[in-house]
CSV table of all heavy atoms in Angstrom, one decimal:
chain,number,residue,atom,x,y,z
A,648,GLU,N,-4.2,-21.7,7.8
A,648,GLU,CA,-5.4,-21.0,8.4
A,648,GLU,C,-5.0,-19.9,9.3
A,648,GLU,O,-3.9,-19.8,9.8
A,648,GLU,CB,-6.3,-22.1,9.1
A,648,GLU,CG,-5.6,-22.8,10.2
A,648,GLU,CD,-6.4,-23.9,10.9
A,648,GLU,OE1,-7.7,-23.7,10.9
A,648,GLU,OE2,-5.9,-24.8,11.4
A,649,VAL,N,-6.0,-19.0,9.5
A,649,VAL,CA,-5.9,-17.9,10.5
A,649,VAL,C,-6.8,-18.2,11.7
A,649,VAL,O,-7.9,-18.7,11.5
A,649,VAL,CB,-6.4,-16.6,9.8
A,649,VAL,CG1,-6.3,-15.4,10.8
A,649,VAL,CG2,-5.5,-16.3,8.6
A,650,LYS,N,-6.3,-18.0,12.9
A,650,LYS,CA,-7.0,-18.3,14.1
A,650,LYS,C,-7.2,-17.1,15.0
A,650,LYS,O,-6.3,-16.9,15.9
A,650,LYS,CB,-6.2,-19.4,14.8
A,650,LYS,CG,-6.0,-20.7,14.0
A,650,LYS,CD,-5.3,-21.8,14.8
A,650,LYS,CE,-5.1,-23.0,14.0
A,650,LYS,NZ,-4.4,-24.1,14.8
A,651,PRO,N,-8.2,-16.4,14.8
A,651,PRO,CA,-8.5,-15.2,15.7
A,651,PRO,C,-8.8,-15.8,17.2
A,651,PRO,O,-9.3,-16.8,17.4
A,651,PRO,CB,-9.8,-14.6,15.2
A,651,PRO,CG,-9.9,-15.1,13.8
A,651,PRO,CD,-9.3,-16.5,13.8
A,652,THR,N,-8.3,-15.0,18.1
A,652,THR,CA,-8.5,-15.4,19.5
A,652,THR,C,-9.8,-14.8,20.1
A,652,THR,O,-10.5,-13.9,19.5
A,652,THR,CB,-7.4,-14.9,20.4
A,652,THR,OG1,-7.4,-13.4,20.3
A,652,THR,CG2,-6.0,-15.4,19.9
A,653,ALA,N,-10.2,-15.3,21.3
A,653,ALA,CA,-11.4,-14.7,21.9
A,653,ALA,C,-11.2,-13.2,22.2
A,653,ALA,O,-12.1,-12.4,22.1
A,653,ALA,CB,-11.6,-15.4,23.3
A,654,ASN,N,-9.9,-12.8,22.5
A,654,ASN,CA,-9.6,-11.4,22.7
A,654,ASN,C,-9.8,-10.6,21.4
A,654,ASN,O,-10.2,-9.4,21.5
A,654,ASN,CB,-8.1,-11.3,23.2
A,654,ASN,CG,-7.7,-12.4,24.2
A,654,ASN,OD1,-7.6,-13.5,23.8
A,654,ASN,ND2,-7.4,-12.0,25.4
A,655,TYR,N,-9.5,-11.2,20.3
A,655,TYR,CA,-9.6,-10.5,19.0
A,655,TYR,C,-11.1,-10.1,18.8
A,655,TYR,O,-11.3,-8.9,18.4
A,655,TYR,CB,-9.2,-11.4,17.9
A,655,TYR,CG,-9.8,-11.0,16.5
A,655,TYR,CD1,-9.1,-9.9,15.8
A,655,TYR,CD2,-10.9,-11.6,16.0
A,655,TYR,CE1,-9.7,-9.5,14.6
A,655,TYR,CE2,-11.4,-11.2,14.8
A,655,TYR,CZ,-10.8,-10.1,14.1
A,655,TYR,OH,-11.3,-9.7,12.9
A,656,TYR,N,-12.0,-10.9,19.1
A,656,TYR,CA,-13.4,-10.6,18.9
A,656,TYR,C,-13.9,-9.4,19.8
A,656,TYR,O,-14.7,-8.6,19.4
A,656,TYR,CB,-14.3,-11.8,19.1
A,656,TYR,CG,-14.2,-12.8,18.0
A,656,TYR,CD1,-13.4,-14.0,18.1
A,656,TYR,CD2,-14.7,-12.6,16.7
A,656,TYR,CE1,-13.2,-14.8,17.1
A,656,TYR,CE2,-14.5,-13.4,15.7
A,656,TYR,CZ,-13.8,-14.6,15.8
A,656,TYR,OH,-13.6,-15.5,14.8
A,657,VAL,N,-13.3,-9.3,21.0
A,657,VAL,CA,-13.6,-8.1,21.8
A,657,VAL,C,-13.0,-6.9,21.2
A,657,VAL,O,-13.6,-5.8,21.1
A,657,VAL,CB,-13.0,-8.4,23.2
A,657,VAL,CG1,-12.9,-7.0,24.0
A,657,VAL,CG2,-13.8,-9.4,24.0
A,658,GLN,N,-11.7,-7.0,20.8
A,658,GLN,CA,-11.1,-5.8,20.2
A,658,GLN,C,-11.8,-5.4,18.9
A,658,GLN,O,-12.0,-4.2,18.6
A,658,GLN,CB,-9.6,-6.1,19.8
A,658,GLN,CG,-8.7,-6.3,21.1
A,658,GLN,CD,-8.5,-5.1,21.9
A,658,GLN,OE1,-8.4,-4.0,21.4
A,658,GLN,NE2,-8.6,-5.3,23.2
A,659,ARG,N,-12.3,-6.3,18.1
A,659,ARG,CA,-13.0,-6.0,16.9
A,659,ARG,C,-14.3,-5.3,17.3
A,659,ARG,O,-14.7,-4.4,16.6
A,659,ARG,CB,-13.3,-7.3,16.1
A,659,ARG,CG,-13.9,-7.0,14.7
A,659,ARG,CD,-14.2,-8.2,13.9
A,659,ARG,NE,-15.3,-9.1,14.5
A,659,ARG,CZ,-15.8,-10.1,13.9
A,659,ARG,NH1,-15.3,-10.5,12.7
A,659,ARG,NH2,-16.8,-10.8,14.4
A,660,ALA,N,-15.0,-5.9,18.3
A,660,ALA,CA,-16.3,-5.3,18.7
A,660,ALA,C,-16.1,-3.8,19.1
A,660,ALA,O,-17.0,-3.0,18.7
A,660,ALA,CB,-16.9,-6.1,19.8
A,661,PHE,N,-15.1,-3.5,19.8
A,661,PHE,CA,-14.9,-2.1,20.3
A,661,PHE,C,-14.3,-1.3,19.1
A,661,PHE,O,-14.7,-0.1,18.9
A,661,PHE,CB,-13.9,-2.1,21.4
A,661,PHE,CG,-14.6,-2.3,22.8
A,661,PHE,CD1,-14.9,-3.6,23.1
A,661,PHE,CD2,-14.8,-1.3,23.6
A,661,PHE,CE1,-15.6,-3.8,24.4
A,661,PHE,CE2,-15.5,-1.5,24.8
A,661,PHE,CZ,-15.8,-2.8,25.2
A,662,GLY,N,-13.4,-1.9,18.3
A,662,GLY,CA,-12.9,-1.1,17.2
A,662,GLY,C,-13.9,-0.7,16.1
A,662,GLY,O,-13.8,0.4,15.5
A,663,GLN,N,-14.8,-1.6,15.9
A,663,GLN,CA,-15.9,-1.4,14.8
A,663,GLN,C,-17.0,-0.6,15.4
A,663,GLN,O,-17.9,-0.2,14.6
A,663,GLN,CB,-16.3,-2.7,14.2
A,663,GLN,CG,-15.3,-3.4,13.4
A,663,GLN,CD,-15.8,-4.7,12.8
A,663,GLN,OE1,-16.8,-5.2,13.1
A,663,GLN,NE2,-15.0,-5.2,11.9
A,664,ASN,N,-17.1,-0.4,16.7
A,664,ASN,CA,-18.2,0.3,17.3
A,664,ASN,C,-17.7,1.4,18.3
A,664,ASN,O,-18.2,1.6,19.4
A,664,ASN,CB,-19.1,-0.7,18.1
A,664,ASN,CG,-19.7,-1.7,17.1
A,664,ASN,OD1,-20.7,-1.4,16.5
A,664,ASN,ND2,-19.2,-2.9,17.1
A,665,ASN,N,-16.7,2.1,17.8
A,665,ASN,CA,-16.2,3.2,18.6
A,665,ASN,C,-16.9,4.5,18.3
A,665,ASN,O,-17.7,4.6,17.3
A,665,ASN,CB,-14.7,3.4,18.5
A,665,ASN,CG,-14.3,3.7,17.1
A,665,ASN,OD1,-15.1,3.8,16.2
A,665,ASN,ND2,-13.0,3.8,16.8
A,666,GLY,N,-16.7,5.5,19.1
A,666,GLY,CA,-17.4,6.8,18.8
A,666,GLY,C,-16.4,8.0,19.2
A,666,GLY,O,-15.3,7.7,19.6
A,667,ASP,N,-16.9,9.2,19.1
A,667,ASP,CA,-16.1,10.3,19.4
A,667,ASP,C,-16.7,11.2,20.4
A,667,ASP,O,-16.3,12.3,20.7
A,667,ASP,CB,-15.6,11.1,18.2
A,667,ASP,CG,-16.8,11.4,17.3
A,667,ASP,OD1,-18.0,11.4,17.7
A,667,ASP,OD2,-16.6,11.7,16.1
A,668,GLU,N,-17.9,10.8,21.0
A,668,GLU,CA,-18.5,11.5,22.1
A,668,GLU,C,-19.1,10.5,23.1
A,668,GLU,O,-19.8,9.5,22.7
A,668,GLU,CB,-19.7,12.3,21.5
A,668,GLU,CG,-20.5,13.1,22.5
A,668,GLU,CD,-21.7,13.8,22.0
A,668,GLU,OE1,-21.9,13.8,20.8
A,668,GLU,OE2,-22.5,14.2,22.8
A,669,TYR,N,-18.7,10.7,24.4
A,669,TYR,CA,-19.2,9.8,25.4
A,669,TYR,C,-20.5,10.4,25.9
A,669,TYR,O,-20.6,11.6,26.2
A,669,TYR,CB,-18.2,9.7,26.5
A,669,TYR,CG,-18.5,8.7,27.6
A,669,TYR,CD1,-18.2,7.3,27.3
A,669,TYR,CD2,-19.2,9.0,28.7
A,669,TYR,CE1,-18.6,6.3,28.3
A,669,TYR,CE2,-19.6,8.0,29.7
A,669,TYR,CZ,-19.2,6.7,29.4
A,669,TYR,OH,-19.6,5.7,30.3
A,670,ILE,N,-21.5,9.5,26.1
A,670,ILE,CA,-22.8,9.9,26.6
A,670,ILE,C,-23.1,9.2,27.9
A,670,ILE,O,-23.0,8.0,28.1
A,670,ILE,CB,-23.9,9.5,25.6
A,670,ILE,CG1,-23.6,10.1,24.2
A,670,ILE,CG2,-25.3,9.9,26.1
A,670,ILE,CD1,-24.6,9.6,23.1
A,671,TYR,N,-23.5,10.0,28.9
A,671,TYR,CA,-23.9,9.5,30.2
A,671,TYR,C,-25.2,8.8,30.1
A,671,TYR,O,-26.1,9.3,29.5
A,671,TYR,CB,-24.0,10.5,31.3
A,671,TYR,CG,-24.5,9.9,32.6
A,671,TYR,CD1,-23.7,9.2,33.4
A,671,TYR,CD2,-25.9,10.1,32.9
A,671,TYR,CE1,-24.2,8.6,34.6
A,671,TYR,CE2,-26.4,9.5,34.1
A,671,TYR,CZ,-25.5,8.8,34.9
A,671,TYR,OH,-26.0,8.2,36.1
A,672,ALA,N,-25.3,7.6,30.6
A,672,ALA,CA,-26.6,6.8,30.6
A,672,ALA,C,-26.7,6.0,31.8
A,672,ALA,O,-25.7,5.4,32.3
A,672,ALA,CB,-26.6,5.9,29.3
A,673,ASP,N,-27.8,6.0,32.4
A,673,ASP,CA,-28.1,5.3,33.7
A,673,ASP,C,-28.4,3.8,33.3
A,673,ASP,O,-29.3,3.6,32.5
A,673,ASP,CB,-29.2,5.9,34.4
A,673,ASP,CG,-29.4,5.3,35.8
A,673,ASP,OD1,-28.4,4.7,36.3
A,673,ASP,OD2,-30.5,5.3,36.3
């Protein structure tokens, strides 16, 4: 079996939801 860590799910969330423009938001 493969055992992703809690850290993996964070890295996946950021890796799959990155962008190329930062937007200021309050």
Side-chain angles (χ1 to χ4, degrees):
E648 58 185 332
V649 176
K650 300 180 178 181
T652 61
N654 319 67
Y655 162 79
Y656 288 103
V657 165
Q658 294 293 318
R659 186 179 73 171
F661 277 77
Q663 293 181 348
N664 294 283
N665 59 4
D667 48 20
E668 178 185 349
Y669 189 83
I670 301 173
Y671 174 79
D673 186 25

